[in-house]
Amino acid sequence: MSFGEPNNPYGQPQGQQPGYGQPQGQPGYGYPQQAPQGVPQQGYGYPAAPPVSPYGGGYPGAVMEMPGGVKSARVMLWIMGALNLIGGIAAIGLSFTLTNELEKQGPLSGDEETFANLGQGIMIGAGVISLIFAILGMVLAAKFKSGGNGVRIGAIIWASFAVLFSLFSLPLGVVSMALGVMIIVFTAKSDGSAWFNRNKQQY
């Protein structure tokens, strides 16, 4: 009676070499056991993948996309900065134009000259403030792509002053007021906070 015959009920089971004495399907000594089916296997020596961020992060070096609201706030900052720049230049130019027109009409009395100089000084001061405000807004807009939470706070403060100043120029300032409010809302939202704090979240 041979153990090699396939129909022999007392013979060695098929698929197992005689002499080893271990059940079929079990791994031999020195080999790692195979994980059950349905359980994800992880390669030896490789760390688990980090969780994927809802804003495009998850892996070191992954580029996070700027949220739509933050993009809109950045565009509004550029627009308001350009408007303030034009307004500042116009105010300074208008102050000198009015002074020249008054001088062409003839010599001014003491009180008239005082009021003319005061008006010119106020317009020049307002123009300079508008220019500084415009440059600051443009710098903040330029830093939206790489800036941190300080840029976000600066944009909110800048927009708050823009809304305050627009109250003194109603109804012409209604556009500036609306843009300023939207800048505050978009930068203060949760996705805006996540964008400006993304560098802290990666470490």
Side-chain angles (χ1 to χ4, degrees):
M1 183 178 299
S2 173
F3 290 100
E5 296 179 5
N7 296 325
N8 186 359
Y10 301 101
Q12 184 76 13
Q14 288 184 341
Q16 181 178 351
Q17 297 294 330
Y20 285 87
Q22 57 184 355
Q24 184 177 3
Q26 290 188 358
Y29 294 102
Y31 295 93
Q33 295 186 359
Q34 185 176 4
Q37 294 184 357
V39 179
Q41 299 185 17
Q42 181 177 333
Y44 293 97
Y46 294 94
V52 179
S53 170
Y55 299 104
Y59 291 91
V63 179
M64 179 178 176
E65 184 179 357
M66 184 184 297
V70 179
K71 290 181 180 179
S72 300
R74 187 186 189 192
V75 173
M76 294 174 191
L77 271 174
W78 281 115
I79 294 174
M80 294 184 67
L83 292 176
N84 280 275
L85 183 65
I86 295 172
I89 296 174
I92 295 174
L94 184 61
S95 66
F96 287 104
T97 301
L98 292 177
T99 302
N100 293 332
E101 291 296 329
L102 291 174
E103 291 178 353
K104 289 179 181 179
Q105 294 178 2
L108 302 176
S109 63
D111 293 337
E112 292 177 345
E113 186 175 0
T114 300
F115 281 111
N117 292 335
L118 180 61
Q120 184 181 22
I122 292 175
M123 294 186 68
I124 292 176
V128 171
I129 293 175
S130 182
L131 289 177
I132 296 174
F133 196 67
I135 294 173
L136 182 59
M138 291 179 176
V139 170
L140 289 171
K143 289 184 173 293
F144 261 46
K145 188 174 183 180
S146 58
N149 194 47
V151 176
R152 173 175 170 263
I153 296 175
I156 293 175
I157 296 175
W158 189 95
S160 300
F161 276 105
V163 173
L164 180 63
F165 292 152
S166 63
L167 293 174
F168 299 100
S169 59
L170 291 175
L172 297 177
V174 66
V175 176
S176 297
M177 181 185 295
L179 293 177
V181 170
M182 286 190 287
I183 291 174
I184 295 174
V185 172
F186 288 146
T187 52
K189 289 174 60 178
S190 58
D191 57 350
S193 177
W195 167 256
F196 288 104
N197 289 287
R198 66 194 184 280
N199 294 328
K200 294 182 180 179
Q201 295 174 357
Q202 292 176 358
Y203 297 99

